[in-house]
């Protein structure tokens, strides 16, 4: 049984490196925290990563996906029809995309959001296998960032509220005098 420690070490190392798996599944409550991660694809081939975000109060939901492009060679071939699929109930959404020579970025701002949003990313790791310290050969990598910004009323909203209350008080006082 001299192989038991080696087998135990392999099982433990596999359990401690979930971000290096080919498919990632992660759930985050954005009411209490934000999400920022880098995911390394250590195998060539197709992957589907699923992220579930929960927001308890009406907020603006911001999601950003960035892919590093080295020497104008893409590391991830995103599925053209379902690369970035976001489901949830949004008041309105704004999409933005930048395509620089060293980084591609896609961002989404969903306004007046509360509830659960699910983000599904589909693509294929097609890189050449660049070595990354503490990870090994990486055939594709991307970063994801998500946070919820709770809506805060602007000063004009408070001024309008006070003016309305003052008008109601004025009308009530006139009625009392009449």
């Amino acid at each position: 049984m001299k192989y038991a420690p080696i087998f135990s070490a392999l099982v433990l190392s596999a359990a401690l490196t979930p971000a290096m798996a080919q498919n990632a599944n992660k759930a985050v409550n954005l009411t209490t925290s934000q999400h920022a991660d880098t995911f390394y694809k250590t195998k060539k081939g197709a992957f589907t990563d699923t992220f579930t975000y929960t927001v308890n109060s009406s907020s603006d939901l911001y999601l950003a996906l960035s892919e590093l492009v080295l020497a104008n060679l893409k590391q991830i071939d995103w599925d053209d029809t379902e690369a970035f699929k976001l489901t949830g109930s949004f008041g309105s959404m704004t999409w933005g995309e930048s395509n620089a020579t060293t980084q591609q970025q896609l961002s989404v701002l969903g306004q007046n959001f509360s509830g659960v949003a699910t983000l599904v990313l589909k693509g294929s790791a097609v890189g050449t296998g660049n070595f990354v310290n503490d990870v090994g050969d990486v055939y594709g990598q991307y970063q994801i960032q998500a946070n919820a910004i709770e809506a805060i009323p602007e000063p004009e909203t408070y001024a309008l509220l006070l003016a309305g209350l003052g008008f109601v008080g004025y009308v009530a006082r006139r009625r009392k005098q009449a």
Side-chain angles (χ1 to χ4, degrees), residues 100-139:
T101 56
T102 59
Q103 185 176 26
Q104 289 185 322
Q105 184 169 2
L106 178 67
S107 60
V108 178
L109 174 63
Q111 296 179 326
N112 301 324
F113 175 77
S114 65
V116 177
T118 303
L119 173 64
V120 178
L121 302 174
K122 288 186 178 183
S124 294
V126 295
T128 57
N130 296 323
F131 184 78
V132 175
N133 287 341
D134 299 329
V135 178
D137 286 338
V138 173
Y139 297 96

Side-chain angles (χ1 to χ4, degrees), residues 14-35:
L16 292 177
T17 55
M20 290 186 239
Q22 196 63 13
N23 292 322
N25 293 299
K26 189 159 192 165
V28 179
N29 185 344
L30 292 178
T31 305
T32 57
S33 65
Q34 66 178 7
H35 177 215

Side-chain angles (χ1 to χ4, degrees), residues 135-155:
V135 178
D137 286 338
V138 173
Y139 297 96
Q141 73 182 52
Y142 67 89
Q143 294 177 331
I144 190 163
Q145 178 182 1
N147 56 13
I149 303 166
E150 196 167 343
I152 299 172
E154 295 183 12

Side-chain angles (χ1 to χ4, degrees), residues 27-54:
V28 179
N29 185 344
L30 292 178
T31 305
T32 57
S33 65
Q34 66 178 7
H35 177 215
D37 263 334
T38 300
F39 290 89
Y40 298 102
K41 299 303 175 183
T42 58
K43 298 177 187 172
K44 276 192 170 187
F47 65 88
T48 301
D49 293 349
T50 304
F51 303 93
T52 304
Y53 299 109
T54 304

Side-chain angles (χ1 to χ4, degrees), residues 54-148:
T54 304
V55 179
N56 294 338
S57 59
S58 182
S59 303
D60 291 347
L61 178 65
Y62 175 75
L63 297 171
L65 171 70
S66 302
E67 177 195 358
L68 187 64
V69 179
L70 299 174
N72 291 330
L73 297 174
K74 291 182 76 169
Q75 294 184 351
I76 297 179
D77 183 19
W78 296 101
D79 184 331
D80 291 336
T81 57
E82 296 186 18
F84 191 90
K85 190 175 186 181
L86 182 64
T87 57
S89 177
F90 298 91
S92 64
M93 289 176 62
T94 305
W95 294 77
E97 185 174 0
S98 65
N99 193 357
T101 56
T102 59
Q103 185 176 26
Q104 289 185 322
Q105 184 169 2
L106 178 67
S107 60
V108 178
L109 174 63
Q111 296 179 326
N112 301 324
F113 175 77
S114 65
V116 177
T118 303
L119 173 64
V120 178
L121 302 174
K122 288 186 178 183
S124 294
V126 295
T128 57
N130 296 323
F131 184 78
V132 175
N133 287 341
D134 299 329
V135 178
D137 286 338
V138 173
Y139 297 96
Q141 73 182 52
Y142 67 89
Q143 294 177 331
I144 190 163
Q145 178 182 1
N147 56 13

